[in-house]
Amino acid sequence: MDARGYAGLQTVVFFVGLYEGVVPFVAKVFDWEPFLAFPLRLPNPAWWIVSAAAILVSIVLLDLLERGKKRVS
């Protein structure tokens, strides 16, 4: 995969991590109901665990993709 492929994957991972990780926390504060924020469909103690896990997984994946992009370049 070339550097553009890594950059595309980083974009996808960033937006999924943002929408599934950060948006549910903000939505609870402002009482929103985003359509694709799947963690908000879980019961009360589980949604924030899944959202926090989505944030952590996206950070790890972004780091791994950045290392891969540097290795290719």
Side-chain angles (χ1 to χ4, degrees), residues 4-71:
R4 285 182 42 196
Y6 279 109
L9 281 175
Q10 283 178 318
T11 303
V12 169
V13 168
F14 175 76
F15 283 115
V16 168
L18 183 71
Y19 203 80
E20 299 299 330
V22 177
V23 168
F25 287 112
V26 175
K28 284 290 187 175
V29 170
F30 293 110
D31 201 27
W32 296 340
E33 292 187 18
F35 179 67
L36 292 176
F38 295 118
L40 290 177
R41 289 168 172 66
L42 295 172
N44 197 10
W47 74 265
W48 61 269
I49 296 170
V50 172
S51 292
I55 293 170
L56 291 175
V57 167
S58 65
I59 290 171
V60 169
L61 286 175
L62 286 171
D63 183 51
L64 290 173
L65 288 169
E66 185 65 30
R67 289 181 190 179
K69 187 166 65 172
K70 286 180 182 178
R71 187 176 51 228

